[in-house]
């Protein structure tokens, strides 16, 4: 076993992860390819064995699907009662999360991990319930089908033609501590379907001709097997990392192909793909950035990027590494990814270059250890990636740089001419070395090499006797010149390398900053219009191009949204190209091999849940085409934009779902309240009216007046209830306009007490309002309604004869009004709930209101910029407070007695 010294930061992360894992419960998933393979049966069978061994097992949620053999497995084990949820007139039984956590079994069984909970549950999905149980330190056994994994949702839809709505994030599956595959051949599964052991008889025929076709089941089975194998491979890799094992374990086939700027790499990638297909292996295309690669020409860089794009089109994973040695990085990465085969192209250099400069193939074979190395020549057919000739020499700097380098050497010669009679020859050579460094820092590699040669020649010609000739009288100067030339070349090479590295770092930093800025602004966008504007602006600035974002409508036809104000005009021809890109999920348009006649380049916007639109980019350059490296970056930016659009849509869908759930809840509450509160006055009105109609001749005048009075009173009560309901709705919708005026609190408290004079009879009323309180700017009618509602609330929920206190005082920026009673007070935890619509407590008189009075108070106070709250008094009873903001300046109160 090969071991190495652990990385301290990695060791710390491992310790933290282990500590978190110890506190968290263990998750075991019984994984299957389709319904009916026996996941629930296998889970319950394993649970019964544990139960027989004395393990505390609790069936949190078990779905029998009306199969007796499954129900029999639950007999004897404790079953958690389901939480009853009423939804659209139907009572649903859901998993009771709180009861399960309070019970704290050793193992909790929860069937159907992908289930969607009924509205009103704490979490929307059952897998979120399971996460909460695991965080509580309880082990969970659960079941899951492959079609419910989020990343496979589109693939399953393509196979079966059915879009699965309930999904589980792949991260939940990846974090499972144990996965047990429940496998069943398609023929056996179809036989179970025919026997009615999966669905009821009336569903079997339809299922057999749609989802449960034999081909579908075979494909789903392969997906389940592969996904399980990936999970096992991840577990094996984690074990190797934890035990610091660098040796490759060839448990699965994984091939790494090395690509560089060579014109033959396109052939190499295709040959490696055939090798991967033949061995059913995963293919990884790797390029390595070394200091030498920084000197690549633009053409070579374009060829390398094109090769990587070719590898991506062949479904290979592409990776770019950085390091000083290609062989070291390839071997290190191969060991990290558990690669057991490396494919590399044959060298095209001559033998003497391999002997002098070293052979990449030879070094890789010597260093690879147990990893197999395949040396491949590739295809014989012409490769579009390698059509361009690879020139033997290409100048790396423009000719003015060479002139400048020669000028620097000439300047150094002038300085040495002034100093050579006072200094030794070695000191004069230092001046030339300084010039070489300056040339390397400012002119580039070629000019620095020329400067090194010219510096040695100038030193010999001008200052070594015999002067003004290249002849050397003393052979010791040959050593001086050789050392000086070598030092100059090394110095210039290092300076050029540092400069190239700094330039490359600046370029990467610029692109990274642009990508980070775009991602940050997309995440912070408040609405869809701002998201589109931010994304388009960053693309225009980074790529100096015009941008158009095309999004699909309900029919799947792409078009430029009205929110994109800066988009370029897309003509009908280009619109057809964009539609093709959206339908096929491939790049097309200007500068590509597909529909190149378009005015712009169009890229598909793909996210986790599928295609979200098309990005059109029109270059401002003369040829209108993008280089290969720019295309690579464009795809990266497009991916970030696609993810942002998907997040915005998911957020909108979530908000819409919450709105629908809230609407449904309010509708149910409204119907319940209307049926309860409006039925009583309507019954009284109906009864009194029918008595007047039927018994008009036998009723005396007094009785008639009482019945008429009852009709009037109940009609007034009904009118008030409906008025409160309409007013509360207008308040929450923001449709109430305030008629503010300067007023004193006495002007609203007094009329409210007057209107309730009869109801307040027999109750002690204590009012404490200071006369020096400033005026407030408010709607007097609405604030009077607030006081009136609070007083009615105190009357309704306190015994007759108990006192009510009204007080007001000033703080720094507000005036606070308090209305307190001496009743039973508010139940603990309901201090804020009492302001919700239709919330009603237990009335002291036995009759509660409609639950809108305090809601109206909250809406009115909020419209004035204040706040309202409730507290229990220490000496008993409840106190309701509301505050109104004081303006910075207001009219003064009139002086004098009043």
């Amino acid at each position: 076993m090969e071991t190495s010294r652990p990385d301290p930061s990695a060791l710390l992360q491992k310790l933290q992860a282990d500590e978190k894992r110890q506190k968290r419960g263990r998750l075991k998933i019984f994984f299957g390819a389709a319904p009916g393979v026996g996941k629930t049966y296998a889970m319950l069978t394993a649970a019964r064995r544990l139960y027989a061994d004395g393990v505390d097992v609790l069936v949190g949620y078990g779905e029998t699907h009306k199969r007796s053999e499954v129900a029999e497995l639950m007999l004897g084990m404790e079953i958690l009662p389901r939480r009853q949820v009423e939804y659209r007139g139907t009572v649903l039984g859901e998993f009771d999360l709180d009861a399960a956590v309070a019970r704290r079994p050793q193992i909790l069984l929860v069937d159907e991990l992908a289930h969607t909970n009924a509205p009103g549950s704490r979490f929307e999905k059952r897998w979120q319930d399971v996460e909460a149980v695991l965080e509580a330190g309880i082990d969970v056994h659960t079941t899951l089908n492959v079609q419910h994994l989020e990343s496979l949702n589109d693939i399953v839809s393509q196979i079966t033609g059915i879009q699965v709505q309930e999904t589980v994030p792949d991260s939940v599956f990846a974090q499972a501590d144990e996965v047990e595959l429940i496998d069943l051949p398609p023929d056996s599964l179809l036989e179970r379907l025919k026997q009615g052991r999966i669905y009821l008889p009336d569903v079997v025929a339809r299922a057999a001709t749609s989802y449960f076709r034999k081909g579908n089941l075979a494909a789903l089975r392969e997906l389940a097997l592969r996904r399980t194998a990936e999970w096992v491979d991840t577990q094996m890799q984690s074990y190797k990392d934890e035990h610091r094992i660098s040796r490759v374990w060839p448990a699965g086939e994984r091939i790494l192909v090395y690509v560089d700027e060579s014109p033959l790499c396109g052939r190499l990638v295709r040959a490696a793909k055939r090798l991967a297909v033949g061995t059913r292996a995963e293919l990884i295309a790797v390029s390595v950035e070394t200091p030498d690669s920084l000197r690549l020409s633009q053409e070579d860089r374009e060829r390398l990027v094109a090769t990587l794009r070719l590898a991506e089109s062949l479904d290979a994973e592409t990776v770019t590494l950085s390091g000083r040695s290609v062989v070291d990085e390839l071997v290190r990465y191969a060991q990290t990814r558990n690669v057991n085969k490396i494919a590399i192209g044959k060298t095209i250099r001559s033998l003497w270059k391999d002997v002098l400069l070293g052979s990449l193939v030879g070094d890789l074979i010597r260093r690879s250890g147990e990893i197999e190395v395949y040396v491949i020549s590739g295809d014989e057919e012409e490769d579009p990636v390698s059509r361009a000739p690879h020139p033997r020499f290409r100048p790396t700097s423009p000719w003015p740089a060479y002139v400048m380098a020669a000028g620097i050497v000439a300047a150094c010669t002038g300085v040495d001419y002034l100093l050579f009679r006072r200094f030794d020859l070695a000191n004069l050579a230092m001046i030339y070395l300084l010039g070489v460094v300056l040339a390397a820092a400012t002119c580039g590699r070629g000019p620095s090499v020329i400067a090194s040669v010219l510096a040695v020649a100038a030193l010999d010609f001008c200052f070594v006797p015999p002067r003004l000739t290249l002849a050397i009288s003393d052979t010791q100067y040959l050593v001086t010149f050789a050392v000086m030339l070598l030092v100059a070349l090394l110095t210039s090479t290092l300076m050029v390398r540092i400069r190239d590295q700094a330039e490359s770092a600046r370029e990467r930093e610029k692109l990274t900053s642009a990508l980070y800025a775009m991602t940050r602004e997309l995440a912070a966008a408040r609405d869809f219009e701002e998201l589109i504007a931010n994304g388009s602006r960053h693309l225009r600035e980074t790529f100096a191009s015009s941008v158009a974002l095309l999004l699909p409508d309900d029919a799947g036809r792409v078009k430029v949204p009205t929110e994109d104000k800066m988009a370029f005009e897309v003509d009908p021809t280009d619109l057809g190209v964009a539609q093709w890109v959206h339908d096929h999920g491939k790049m097309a348009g200007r500068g590509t091999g597909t529909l190149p006649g378009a005015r712009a380049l169009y890229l598909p916007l793909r996210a986790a849940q599928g295609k979200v639109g098309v990005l059109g980019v029109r270059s401002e350059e003369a040829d209108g085409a993008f280089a290969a490296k720019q295309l690579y970056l464009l795809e990266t930016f497009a991916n970030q934009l696609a993810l942002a659009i998907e997040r915005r849509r998911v957020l909108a869908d979530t908000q819409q779902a919450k709105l629908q759930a809230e609407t449904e809840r309010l509708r149910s509450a409204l119907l319940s309240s209307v049926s309860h509160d409006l039925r009583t006055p309507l019954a009284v009105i109906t009864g009194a009216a029918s008595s007047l109609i039927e018994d008009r001749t036998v009723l005396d005048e007094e009785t008639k007046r009482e019945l008429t009075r009852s009709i009037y009173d109940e009609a007034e009560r009904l009118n008030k209830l409906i008025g409160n309901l309409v007013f509360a709705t207008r308040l929450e919708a923001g449709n109430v306009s305030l008629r503010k005026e300067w007023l004193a609190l006495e002007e609203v408290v007094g009329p409210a007490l007057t209107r309730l004079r009869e109801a307040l009879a027999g109750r002690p009323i204590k009012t404490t309002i200071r006369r020096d309180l400033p005026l407030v700017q408010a709607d007097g009618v609405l604030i009077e309604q607030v006081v009136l509602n609070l007083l009615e609330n105190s009357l309704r929920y306190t015994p007759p004869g108990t006192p009510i206190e009204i007080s007001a005082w000033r703080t720094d920026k507000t005036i606070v009004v308090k209305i307190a009673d001496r009743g039973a007070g508010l139940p603990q935890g309901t201090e804020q709930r009492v302001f919700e619509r239709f919330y009603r407590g237990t009335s002291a008189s036995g009759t509660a209101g409609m639950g809108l009075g305090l809601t109206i108070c909250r809406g009115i106070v909020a419209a004035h910029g204040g706040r309202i709250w409730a507290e229990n008094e220490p000496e008993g009873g409840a106190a309701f407070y509301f505050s109104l903001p004081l303006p910075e300046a207001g009219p003064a109160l009139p002086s004098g007695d009043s």
Side-chain angles (χ1 to χ4, degrees), residues 29 144 199 249 300 303 413 842 849:
I29 297 178
L144 180 67
Y199 295 127
W249 288 359
D300 286 339
R303 187 181 297 109
T413 302
T842 303

Side-chain angles (χ1 to χ4, degrees), residues 266-521:
R267 301 179 180 180
L268 174 63
V269 170
R270 286 194 175 90
K273 175 62 178 179
R274 287 198 301 273
L275 178 62
V277 171
T279 57
R280 302 185 69 85
E282 178 184 352
L283 181 62
I284 307 174
V286 177
S287 65
V288 181
E289 286 187 353
T290 63
D292 292 335
S293 63
L294 297 174
R295 300 191 300 271
L296 293 177
S297 66
Q298 183 64 28
E299 185 178 351
D300 286 339
R301 293 178 186 273
E302 296 291 336
R303 187 181 297 109
L304 174 59
V305 173
T307 304
L308 291 174
R309 290 183 57 80
L310 172 63
E312 288 182 348
S313 68
L314 296 175
D315 296 327
E317 178 185 354
T318 58
V319 178
T320 300
L321 306 175
S322 298
R324 299 190 59 83
S325 170
V326 172
V327 173
D328 291 344
E329 294 302 321
L330 287 178
V331 173
R332 185 180 299 112
Y333 184 77
Q335 291 174 343
T336 302
R337 292 294 302 272
N338 206 41
V339 170
N340 57 340
K341 292 181 176 65
I342 296 179
I344 190 170
K346 283 184 178 180
T347 180
I348 57 176
R349 295 193 305 185
S350 58
L351 179 61
W352 69 268
K353 287 186 177 181
D354 285 342
V355 173
L356 293 178
L357 303 177
S359 170
L360 178 63
V361 175
D363 292 344
L364 182 60
I365 293 175
R366 285 189 293 271
R367 292 285 311 280
S368 58
E370 68 275 8
I371 304 175
E372 299 177 6
V373 178
Y374 288 72
V375 182
I376 303 175
S377 59
D379 297 336
E380 294 298 329
E381 68 269 14
E382 184 182 16
D383 191 332
V385 176
S386 58
R387 288 176 182 171
H390 195 61
R392 295 177 178 271
F393 173 76
R394 183 187 296 107
T396 58
S397 302
W399 67 265
Y402 289 90
V403 175
M404 182 177 180
I408 291 175
V409 174
C412 292
T413 302
V415 174
D416 280 353
Y417 183 78
L418 298 176
L419 302 177
F420 84 98
R421 297 185 183 279
R422 303 178 184 178
F423 293 93
D424 295 335
L425 189 63
N427 294 324
L428 300 180
M430 294 299 102
I431 301 296
Y432 281 112
L433 287 179
L434 178 62
V436 170
V437 171
L438 181 62
T442 57
C443 302
R445 175 175 297 275
S448 67
V449 172
I450 297 298
S452 301
V453 176
L454 290 177
V456 173
L459 180 65
D460 179 24
F461 185 81
C462 297
F463 304 107
V464 175
R467 295 174 57 200
L468 304 180
T469 178
L470 294 177
I472 301 176
S473 59
D474 192 345
T475 57
Q476 66 177 347
Y477 287 120
L478 292 176
V479 177
T480 302
F481 293 153
V483 172
M484 178 181 173
L485 180 60
L486 180 61
V487 171
L489 290 175
L490 288 176
T491 303
S492 63
T493 300
L494 291 175
M495 285 297 299
V496 169
R497 180 174 296 176
I498 292 173
R499 193 186 71 167
D500 291 345
Q501 289 176 340
E503 184 65 28
S504 177
R506 280 195 297 270
E507 182 180 356
R508 285 196 298 267
E509 181 184 2
K510 178 182 177 181
L511 294 174
T512 302
S513 299
L515 185 59
Y516 170 73
M518 175 180 172
T519 304
R520 181 183 58 190
E521 292 196 18

